[in-house]
Amino acid sequence: MAAMTMARLQLCHPSSPIIKPSMLLLKLGNSPSHALRPRKFSVTTTTPCSASNHSQTQESCDGSIVGDLLDYLNESWTQFHATAEAKRQLTAAGFHLLNENDEWDLKPGGRYFFTRNMSCLVAFAVGEKYTVGNGFHVIAAHTDSPCLKLKPKSASSKSNYLMVNVQTYGGGLWHTWFDRDLSVAGRVIVRGTDGSFVHKLVKVKRSLLRVPTLAIHLDRTVNKDGFKPNLETHLVPLFSIKSEEKSLELKDKDTAASSKAVHHPLLMQILSDELNCGIDEIVSIELNVCDTQASCLGGANNEFIFSGRLDNLASTFCALRALIDSSKSSNDLSSEPAIRMVALFDNEEVGSGSVQGAGAPTMFQAMRRIVGCLTHNKVSEGGIERAIRQSFLVSADMAHGVHPNFMDKHEEHHRPEMKKGLVIKHNANQRYATNGITAFLFKEVGKILSLPTQEFVVRNDMGCGSTIGPILASGVGIRTVDCGIAQLSMHSVREVCAKEDIDIAYKHFKAFYENFSSIDKKLQVD
């Protein structure tokens, strides 16, 4: 991030340590927005795109969360890491961890959260003026992004190369994954010495994999006919050159040999080294293929954020930070009659139909338990139903900014631009859950801080994507607005958005938590 001089970071050597963007900002000021990050400098083999200038230092001191977002993105290579980092930040902010398997003891003014599958998280802060029937004010987003995932049997070999079999997850722009420096991250189950099993996260930061393109000399028509890879046979990452089994210095050769048909012994050795455990102690793995290039600022004035997984970790982070910062002290909740909530789901990119996805009744079950607990299970008639009718959901998912080279792909009167605020998404066929009332209320929230908003509808001659908004609106029966930050290159291995829109989204979400109760009671519909 920023430096007080124009000197750039000396990061050319691949083994050089990289200082987290926000930690550089910390050295230049004591902004309260960085109070949640006691982390040390991280070391990785990737390099930021550029050093930043003095203006960004001033932005950080003025309360920008962009540096913190870059930290979050660089930490969150997978949905598991994104959830674990959110858990760490909530704990550091004083939120109490709950377990869905235990009885809950909740109180007005309290702040709580729980995780499911370590890829889904629900956090909430109870207003001190809460009474039964009052609503939930929720921002929902998702933790997953399109990627490649290792198959259950990932080991394969071709032409003396060791390859890693993968399956595609979501609707990625898969051609962008070719010729990238890739690695693996995810979770493993490790057997303890006492026979128990432990869930651990793993991230191999160095470049392990690559999907090489075919040289143009062997594919002369590719620029004319287009690059059309077969996703089963052409999208197989290169891992290593085959070597004799005896040349691999494995800690446990017997175990490695027995697992050879499932995963490469060399891969298992790398994982065991990262986890500081024996190969035989690893009993299950669930790994994503990840791009190793760090998230960073770019553009002539460092106005862009270049990163993987902006869809939808940018929304996730803005929502999480807004909840934390709007509920820091008892004074923040002293006059709040509602319950402020953030819900982060997995598997949105593949339809949300999982126990950790928005299609599961996670949010509704949490609402019912919260209401029951706060009323000591003496809920009056229709208590939970009345609470849902008083509730409001902001479905936050990245939006399609107008592409300067493909402007005709947008409806000409609805072309969202960067640096112009959150995009409210509309679709007459309910691919988005926004209606006239919910759009109006969300705009009113923004007006308090003079925050801009934009509108988006898809062209009539094109299909429309969707979000978790309609799933939650219809499944729970909650009023919903769909919105998002404008971006380019959605579902590419590297995406881009404007850094200014991150701060606008954060401010809008924070204003939603702090002011929606007073705005909502001014409007009567039914």
Side-chain angles (χ1 to χ4, degrees):
M1 287 295 293
M4 294 186 70
T5 68
M6 295 302 293
R8 292 182 177 270
L9 294 173
Q10 300 301 312
L11 296 167
C12 297
H13 194 281
S15 62
S16 301
I18 286 182
I19 299 175
K20 287 190 172 185
S22 60
M23 299 306 287
L24 279 171
L25 296 175
L26 269 176
K27 287 184 172 291
L28 303 170
N30 295 317
S31 169
S33 67
H34 303 294
L36 299 178
R37 287 172 290 94
R39 288 183 174 274
K40 297 179 180 179
F41 298 157
S42 63
V43 179
T44 179
T45 58
T46 54
T47 60
C49 307
S50 64
S52 305
N53 56 34
H54 178 72
S55 65
Q56 289 157 330
T57 303
Q58 187 60 46
E59 285 179 12
S60 178
C61 294
D62 290 343
S64 172
I65 67 166
V66 170
D68 293 338
L69 170 65
L70 293 177
D71 282 355
Y72 183 74
L73 291 165
N74 286 325
E75 190 69 30
S76 305
W77 279 20
T78 73
Q79 69 275 30
F80 307 120
H81 290 83
T83 304
E85 178 61 14
K87 176 182 177 181
R88 185 195 69 80
Q89 294 191 21
L90 287 164
T91 302
F95 281 67
H96 299 284
L97 175 62
L98 303 173
N99 190 312
E100 287 190 279
N101 298 323
D102 299 335
E103 290 188 11
W104 293 354
D105 181 18
L106 311 179
K107 295 179 176 62
R111 299 172 299 162
Y112 311 91
F113 75 99
F114 66 86
T115 65
R116 179 180 289 188
N117 190 54
M118 196 48 71
S119 62
C120 167
L121 181 147
V122 175
F124 56 96
V126 183
E128 292 190 12
K129 298 295 185 181
Y130 174 82
T131 59
V132 63
N134 289 359
F136 293 80
H137 299 160
V138 189
I139 303 178
H142 64 89
T143 60
D144 62 317
S145 303
C147 65
L148 304 176
K149 292 178 179 282
L150 267 65
K151 290 181 177 178
K153 295 182 179 181
S154 69
S156 68
S157 61
K158 300 178 183 178
S159 301
N160 209 39
Y161 294 108
L162 298 183
M163 315 293 286
V164 176
N165 293 324
V166 295
Q167 52 186 330
T168 57
Y169 175 84
L173 288 173
W174 303 121
H175 67 274
T176 66
W177 287 73
F178 283 75
D179 294 332
R180 302 290 302 183
D181 294 342
L182 307 173
S183 191
V184 294
R187 66 174 173 190
V188 301
I189 306 299
V190 177
R191 181 189 292 109
T193 56
D194 59 354
S196 62
F197 299 101
V198 182
H199 175 277
K200 291 188 176 184
L201 300 188
V202 64
K203 181 196 301 180
V204 182
K205 294 183 179 180
R206 67 184 179 92
S207 301
L208 285 181
L209 306 172
R210 194 175 182 90
V211 185
T213 50
L214 184 63
I216 194 169
H217 313 78
L218 305 177
D219 190 9
R220 292 289 186 181
T221 63
V222 65
N223 290 328
K224 180 181 69 173
D225 298 339
F227 182 49
K228 302 173 183 177
N230 181 294
L231 299 185
E232 177 63 24
T233 59
H234 298 157
L235 194 63
V236 184
L238 188 70
F239 177 50
S240 183
I241 298 176
K242 228 184 218 184
S243 59
E244 294 298 327
E245 188 79 21
K246 62 182 181 181
S247 69
L248 301 178
E249 297 180 0
L250 301 173
K251 295 178 180 178
D252 193 333
K253 294 183 179 180
D254 293 336
T255 302
S258 66
S259 63
K260 185 176 180 182
V262 178
H263 303 292
H264 287 300
L266 184 55
L267 175 61
M268 299 303 293
Q269 180 67 65
I270 292 170
L271 295 177
S272 71
D273 289 343
E274 289 287 332
L275 296 165
N276 194 27
C277 69
I279 296 175
D280 60 325
E281 296 172 29
I282 300 175
V283 296
S284 178
I285 67 173
E286 185 175 353
L287 300 179
N288 295 359
V289 175
C290 306
D291 187 82
T292 61
Q293 186 175 356
S295 304
C296 61
L297 298 182
N301 297 305
N302 286 307
E303 63 264 61
F304 298 122
I305 295 175
F306 299 153
S307 175
R309 306 174 304 282
L310 286 174
D311 177 18
N312 192 35
L313 293 186
S315 305
T316 292
F317 182 76
C318 290
L320 179 73
R321 187 59 172 271
L323 177 65
I324 290 173
D325 289 353
S326 67
S327 310
K328 280 185 175 179
S329 68
S330 57
N331 290 335
D332 292 329
L333 300 171
S334 59
S335 60
E336 177 60 76
I339 297 172
R340 301 171 183 176
M341 177 180 283
V342 64
L344 309 177
F345 297 100
D346 194 2
N347 299 132
E348 187 276 344
E349 298 293 356
V350 291
S352 299
S354 67
V355 68
Q356 59 270 5
T362 311
M363 195 172 83
F364 175 74
Q365 290 172 350
M367 290 175 166
R368 186 171 56 190
R369 291 190 69 176
I370 292 167
V371 171
C373 192
L374 291 172
T375 58
H376 306 288
N377 292 317
K378 296 179 182 178
V379 183
S380 56
E381 189 279 324
I384 183 63
E385 290 81 7
R386 286 186 286 129
I388 291 174
R389 289 301 306 131
Q390 293 282 351
S391 298
F392 193 94
L393 171 71
V394 177
S395 170
D397 203 349
M398 301 297 279
H400 296 291
V402 63
H403 195 303
N405 299 334
F406 301 93
M407 293 179 62
D408 60 329
K409 295 296 183 180
H410 276 69
E411 199 275 338
E412 66 173 315
H413 302 296
H414 298 85
R415 291 175 172 169
E417 299 178 21
M418 292 187 184
K419 301 176 66 173
K420 296 293 182 67
L422 283 169
V423 180
I424 298 176
K425 307 175 186 179
H426 302 261
N427 184 261
N429 297 306
Q430 292 300 294
R431 298 291 289 170
Y432 302 127
T434 307
N435 62 33
I437 298 298
T438 60
F440 165 76
L441 289 171
F442 194 63
K443 290 177 189 176
E444 287 297 300
V445 170
K447 286 180 180 178
I448 294 173
L449 299 179
S450 299
L451 298 174
T453 56
Q454 307 179 76
E455 314 278 352
F456 171 77
V457 295
V458 74
R459 290 171 55 109
N460 289 327
D461 55 0
M462 294 179 64
C464 183
S466 191
T467 68
I468 60 177
I471 295 172
L472 295 171
S474 59
V476 179
I478 184 172
R479 296 175 295 167
T480 301
V481 63
D482 267 299
C483 70
I485 300 166
Q487 72 160 99
L488 299 176
S489 303
M490 187 179 290
H491 289 194
S492 170
V493 74
R494 293 286 286 184
E495 301 171 324
V496 56
C497 72
K499 70 174 185 182
E500 186 174 323
D501 285 327
I502 298 299
D503 287 325
I504 293 175
Y506 160 71
K507 292 174 183 177
H508 204 137
F509 292 164
K510 188 168 181 281
F512 167 71
Y513 284 132
E514 294 174 338
N515 299 287
F516 189 78
S517 291
S518 60
I519 292 174
D520 192 32
K521 65 184 181 182
K522 296 178 181 179
L523 176 66
Q524 295 295 325
V525 177
D526 298 314

